[in-house]
RNA sequence: GCCCUGGUAGCUCAGUAGGAUAGAGCGUUCGCCUCCUAAGCGGAAGGUCACAGGUUCAACUCCUGUCCAGGGCACCA
């Protein structure tokens, strides 16, 4: 509808321009928006206000001339000039009713569009280090990324969802060591478990599973840890020495067993948890595979050939400042180890090389300083950095009562996503995470979030859906007739205030989906659904649906069935279920 | 110090490419179930849109500065 009116305005302006009454600017952008107040019609344009100056006319006079030159449209009932020079469009009743037919015909596809024209988008999100279970903070990026992916899907993009698995590097070694030490404990070896290793109980569980599988095969030759290692004062150095000791005394193969077991167990846990929240990935992309395939070395070599690297203090530095970063960044350390950044370069280069038109990353806001170097590296490799889009999600700072909950995976002190879902339900959790703009800081009290679970807006929306299902259930129970095809011929009977309001609200849905996808803001959809549910509940309370008058009854049922469809479609995008009973 | 985000009702937050009287939920308060689920509805109260300038016919929205809050500034991941 908006594009239809935009076209009408374009034609009118063209006529004025052809008649020499107006010179149009090159970058003419016609804005038509839904009005907030129905006294201003259904849609309005401010085009006359924007063009008044260049046209040398008073805004209202120009608006009148534009209105006079508008082509006739079957959809438009009346055009008014109002306020400082707005052109207000009043649509025919018929055009409002048409949305119900459209919804009935499109079903679960209502709201979908082909704006994306099948363009391939890779969206990477969550990508939490596989060193422990997901916690509440990770849930936000998960729910947000999944919703953005679904929105893009609905808008006709070909979406691939990917989880980048950081399965290489020191953190994984610390994880393997942690599991091994717990395993030693279970086998009766006295161990003073380092404070900076992973503390969580899940480490013990993995160790127990390992012991059940391999028995005592992974014990070191000597019963005690060597004194020269345990004596190291610096905790981080001692940890590294312990890792080295584990590798030495176990041998590469046995060490790999522990490493692989720990990784597999934790990934399984993460995947299970995400799937229980309705979040699925097409790819789990291994960081280690980038090293194994030589892609990391290839990228480093290409950068070196291109003169993008230089050697200083024994390390290889990437000239990030050349691309706007604050300082140059190390790619290969003095000790020969590649940094996380090195594999990140290869990863992002590979994303674009895989043929995606666009790669979207959902990152925690704490990574924002990382953006210039990654984009810089892509540019240095000859790629267009604009193809990489980074969406930042602000931290969720948790409070338990008035006390801030400190979260650190290594200390094992955190609230898991699983705990949260168990308390408030996965639907509430998913909805809750996306009801705020992602750039907005999220401070919330866990106790409050849990205790308010019944007040969570998600139940309000789901309840509207369940109520409609219930009405249809009653319809069957009472043996009343409802023939959708006949109902569609009686839509003109919908004339009560809430009905007319709903006929204005429903057509907005596809526009909301498109706008939310374009701006990567699923909260727009969440708010829309809440508003729609509010209108429905008001309608429900003031009007009966299962009435004697067959024609009106059917028209009303057609309307609420359409509402149900839109709620269902919208909740599906947000990953929330639409129960038929509550 | 530099760089990101925010600062809108008592609280938590919306405010759609600047637009016509600033919205919602919770909380407070007054009402509504012989009636399709009261997990609901209706009414009332509640605002110098952090502050000061500027651009504009029009600024919560854009620009500059100030104040406040959170985060980031590693040869860590």
């Amino acid at each position: 509808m908006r594009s239809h009116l935009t076209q009408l305005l374009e034609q009118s302006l063209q006529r004025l321009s052809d008649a020499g009454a107006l010179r149009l600017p090159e970058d003419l952008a016609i804005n038509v928006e839904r009005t907030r107040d129905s006294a201003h019609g259904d849609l309005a344009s401010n085009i006359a206000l924007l063009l008044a100056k260049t046209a040398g006319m008073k805004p209202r006079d120009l608006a009148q001339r534009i209105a006079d030159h508008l082509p006739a449209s079957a959809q438009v009932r009346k055009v008014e000039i109002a306020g400082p020079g707005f052109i207000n469009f009043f649509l025919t009743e018929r055009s409002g009713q048409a949305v119900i037919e459209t919804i009935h015909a499109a079903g679960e596809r209502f709201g979908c569009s082909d704006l994306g024209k099948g363009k391939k988008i890779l969206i990477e999100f969550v990508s939490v280090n596989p060193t422990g279970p997901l916690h509440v903070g990770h849930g936000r990026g998960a729910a947000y990324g999944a919703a953005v992916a679904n929105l893009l899907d609905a808008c006709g993009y070909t979406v691939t969802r990917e989880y980048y698995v950081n399965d290489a590097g020191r953190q994984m070694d610390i994880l393997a060591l942690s599991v091994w030490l717990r395993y030693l404990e279970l086998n009766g070896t006295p161990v003073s478990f380092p404070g900076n290793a992973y503390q969580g109980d899940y480490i013990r569980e993995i160790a127990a599973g390992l012991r059940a599988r391999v028995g005592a095969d992974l014990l070191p030759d000597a019963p005690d840890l060597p004194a020269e290692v345990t004596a190291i004062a610096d905790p981080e150095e001692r940890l590294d020495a312990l890792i080295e000791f584990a590798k030495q005394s176990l041998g590469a193969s046995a060490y790999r067993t522990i490493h692989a077991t720990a990784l597999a167990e934790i990934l399984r846990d993460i995947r299970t948890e995400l799937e229980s929240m309705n979040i699925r990935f097409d790819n789990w992309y291994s960081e280690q595979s980038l090293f194994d395939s030589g892609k990391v070395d290839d990228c480093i070599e290409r950068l070196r050939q291109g003169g993008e690297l230089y050697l200083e203090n024994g390390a290889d530095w990437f000239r990030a400042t050349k691309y706007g970063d604050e300082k140059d960044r190390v790619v290969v350390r003095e000790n020969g180890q590649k940094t996380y950044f090195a594999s990140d370069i290869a990863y992002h280069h590979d994303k674009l090389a895989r043929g995606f038109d666009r790669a979207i990353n959902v990152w925690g806001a704490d990574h924002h300083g990382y953006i210039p170097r990654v984009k810089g590296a892509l540019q240095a490799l000859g790629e267009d950095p604009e193809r990489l889009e980074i969406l930042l999600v602000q931290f969720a700072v948790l409070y338990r009562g008035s006390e801030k909950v400190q979260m650190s995976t290594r200390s094992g002190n955190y609230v898991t996503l699983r705990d949260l879902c168990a308390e408030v339900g996965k639907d509430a959790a998913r909805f809750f995470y996306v009801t705020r703009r992602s750039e907005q800081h999220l401070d919330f009290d866990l106790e409050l979030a849990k205790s308010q679970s019944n007040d969570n807006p998600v139940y309000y929306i789901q309840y509207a859906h369940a109520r409609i299902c219930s009405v249809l259930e009653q319809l069957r129970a009472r043996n009343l007739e409802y023939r959708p095809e006949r109902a569609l011929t009686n839509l003109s009977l919908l004339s009560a205030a809430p009905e007319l309001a709903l006929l204005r609200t429903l057509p907005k849905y596809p526009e909301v989906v498109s706008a939310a996808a374009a701006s990567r803001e699923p909260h727009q959809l969440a708010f829309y659904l809440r508003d729609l549910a509010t209108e429905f509940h008001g309608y429900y309370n003031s009007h009966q649906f299962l009435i004697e008058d067959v024609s009106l009854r059917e028209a009303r049922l057609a309307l609420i069935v359409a509402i149900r469809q839109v709620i269902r479609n919208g909740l599906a995008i947000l990953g929330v279920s639409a129960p038929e009973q509550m």
Side-chain angles (χ1 to χ4, degrees):
Chain A
M1 183 51 63
R2 282 172 73 172
S3 58
H4 173 64
L5 294 181
T6 303
Q7 282 171 19
L8 295 182
L9 287 166
E10 265 170 18
Q11 289 178 39
S12 170
L13 290 168
Q14 197 56 51
R15 289 178 185 180
L16 286 166
S17 173
D18 292 345
L22 185 63
R23 208 173 54 245
L24 299 178
E26 294 289 323
D27 55 342
L28 178 67
I30 298 175
N31 185 23
V32 176
E33 57 182 25
R34 297 267 166 194
T35 58
R36 202 174 295 166
D37 185 342
S38 58
H40 298 137
D42 297 290
L43 295 115
S45 177
N46 63 351
I47 189 68
L49 292 158
L50 297 177
L51 293 179
K53 189 167 241 178
T54 51
M57 295 172 71
K58 289 180 184 170
R60 283 192 68 109
D61 292 347
L62 177 59
Q64 191 58 57
R65 296 201 62 176
I66 294 172
D68 289 344
H69 286 78
L70 282 171
S73 165
Q75 322 264 33
V76 178
R77 175 166 57 89
K78 187 170 67 166
V79 177
E80 272 185 4
I81 308 305
F86 289 102
I87 301 171
N88 293 338
F89 294 91
F90 293 78
L91 303 180
T92 58
E93 287 183 13
R94 184 75 201 89
S95 85
Q97 293 151 16
V99 73
I100 294 183
E101 292 171 51
T102 306
I103 294 170
H104 280 251
E108 63 183 22
R109 297 284 304 162
F110 181 69
C112 294
S113 63
D114 63 347
L115 291 173
K117 299 187 174 73
K119 279 193 193 150
K120 292 169 70 182
I121 293 191
L122 177 71
I123 177 164
E124 180 218 327
F125 58 111
V126 190
S127 298
V128 174
N129 279 354
T131 54
L134 297 173
H135 59 63
V136 170
H138 299 134
R140 191 175 190 191
Y144 173 72
V148 170
N150 291 346
L151 280 168
L152 293 170
D153 225 334
C155 289
Y157 292 91
T158 304
V159 180
T160 300
R161 297 158 175 83
E162 186 159 287
Y163 187 119
Y164 182 53
V165 182
N166 293 113
D167 53 0
R170 180 167 178 263
Q171 294 304 316
M172 287 306 298
D173 282 325
I174 297 172
L175 176 75
L177 174 72
S178 304
V179 169
W180 187 54
L181 293 176
R182 291 303 188 200
Y183 167 87
L184 294 183
E185 279 180 350
L186 289 172
N187 281 289
T189 305
V191 170
S192 77
F193 197 83
N196 52 352
Y198 292 106
Q199 306 290 325
D201 287 340
Y202 62 92
I203 298 291
R204 286 196 171 88
E205 288 166 24
I206 295 170
L210 191 64
R211 182 162 178 259
R213 199 155 53 82
V214 305
D217 289 356
L218 299 171
L219 294 174
D221 303 334
D224 296 322
L225 298 179
E228 65 268 26
V229 171
T230 52
I232 296 173
D234 181 78
E236 294 300 321
E237 280 179 27
R238 188 168 61 229
L239 207 58
D240 287 332
L242 280 167
I243 290 167
E244 207 40 52
F245 171 72
K247 288 181 177 173
Q248 297 278 325
S249 69
L250 283 165
S253 166
Y255 181 79
R256 226 175 5 249
T257 298
I258 297 172
H259 192 282
T261 300
L263 173 66
E265 285 300 306
I266 287 176
L267 274 185
R268 192 174 55 80
D269 181 72
I270 289 174
R271 179 192 297 221
T272 305
E273 180 55 24
L274 289 170
E275 285 183 355
S276 82
M277 286 181 78
N278 229 342
I279 298 173
R280 281 164 227 285
F281 289 89
D282 300 300
N283 293 329
W284 294 74
Y285 197 104
S286 158
E287 179 187 9
Q288 186 62 47
S289 75
L290 289 166
F291 289 105
D292 296 344
S293 65
K295 284 177 179 164
V296 177
D297 288 332
D298 285 351
C299 281
I300 292 174
E301 201 43 43
R302 282 184 56 185
L303 289 172
R304 200 191 314 276
Q305 295 297 324
E308 304 287 350
L309 300 185
Y310 64 88
L311 198 64
E312 188 176 291
N313 298 330
D316 283 306
W317 295 73
F318 168 61
R319 298 182 194 281
T321 47
K322 192 173 151 190
Y323 301 98
D325 200 358
E326 293 171 352
K327 51 176 292 190
D328 293 337
R329 308 292 175 176
V330 170
V331 174
V332 184
R333 290 202 265 161
E334 189 181 6
N335 63 12
Q337 286 191 329
K338 283 134 196 160
T339 60
Y340 181 78
F341 177 44
S343 45
D344 249 1
I345 293 172
Y347 178 46
H348 288 94
H349 179 259
D350 184 64
K351 282 184 179 179
L352 299 184
R354 278 187 274 160
F356 292 100
D357 296 296
R358 176 169 287 258
I360 295 178
N361 290 5
V362 177
W363 279 356
D366 55 332
H367 284 70
H368 92 268
Y370 224 77
I371 298 172
R373 78 189 75 165
V374 173
K375 291 201 168 203
L378 285 176
Q379 202 174 338
L381 288 168
E383 300 289 350
D384 175 9
E386 293 298 309
R387 285 167 65 198
L388 175 66
E389 177 180 338
I390 310 235
L391 302 176
L392 296 178
V393 177
Q394 290 289 337
F395 267 7
V397 181
L398 296 183
Y399 291 83
R400 191 177 282 287
S402 57
E403 205 171 326
K404 190 169 175 178
V405 179
Q406 294 300 331
M407 298 218 292
S408 155
T409 309
R410 251 201 252 182
S411 71
N413 176 21
Y414 51 83
V415 180
T416 65
L417 190 53
R418 180 166 289 123
D419 293 338
L420 181 79
C421 288
E423 299 255 8
V424 309
K426 61 179 180 169
D427 284 337
R430 282 210 55 176
F431 191 86
F432 188 82
Y433 280 127
V434 298
T435 10
R436 316 174 132 60
R437 280 164 57 224
S438 56
E439 305 86 29
Q440 182 78 252
H441 290 270
L442 186 54
D443 296 355
F444 69 92
D445 180 346
L446 271 174
E447 298 299 332
L448 209 64
K450 288 171 186 171
S451 71
Q452 282 189 338
S453 63
N454 276 354
D455 297 326
N456 194 300
V458 69
Y459 293 101
Y460 181 83
I461 297 167
Q462 288 180 318
Y463 185 44
H465 181 270
R467 267 183 154 175
I468 295 169
C469 292
S470 178
V471 170
L472 296 173
E473 192 48 49
Q474 283 289 319
L475 174 81
R476 278 187 286 277
R478 297 187 201 173
N479 263 320
L480 293 169
E481 239 187 322
Y482 167 55
R483 293 200 208 154
E485 63 285 0
R486 189 171 65 194
L488 296 178
T489 65
N490 284 323
L491 297 176
S492 58
L493 298 173
L494 298 173
S495 57
E499 291 164 349
L500 296 177
L502 281 159
L503 291 179
R504 276 168 57 87
T505 300
L506 290 172
K508 291 181 190 170
Y509 177 71
E511 295 165 14
V512 170
V513 172
S514 302
S519 56
R520 285 70 163 121
E521 292 185 343
H523 76 273
Q524 288 186 28
L525 178 54
F527 278 87
Y528 171 83
L529 292 174
R530 221 230 169 248
D531 290 344
L532 178 61
T534 298
E535 282 189 35
F536 168 73
H537 285 307
Y539 181 39
Y540 181 97
N541 273 58
S542 60
H543 291 76
Q544 285 280 119
F545 307 135
L546 301 178
I547 51 177
E548 291 294 319
D549 181 341
V550 185
S551 300
L552 184 57
R553 179 210 305 153
E554 290 189 331
R556 287 182 174 170
L557 290 173
L559 171 60
I560 66 171
V561 165
I563 295 168
R564 181 177 67 167
Q565 185 70 58
V566 170
I567 292 176
R568 202 179 269 173
N569 294 1
L571 288 179
I573 288 175
L574 299 179
V576 175
S577 68
E580 306 205 340
Q581 285 186 344
M582 289 177 75

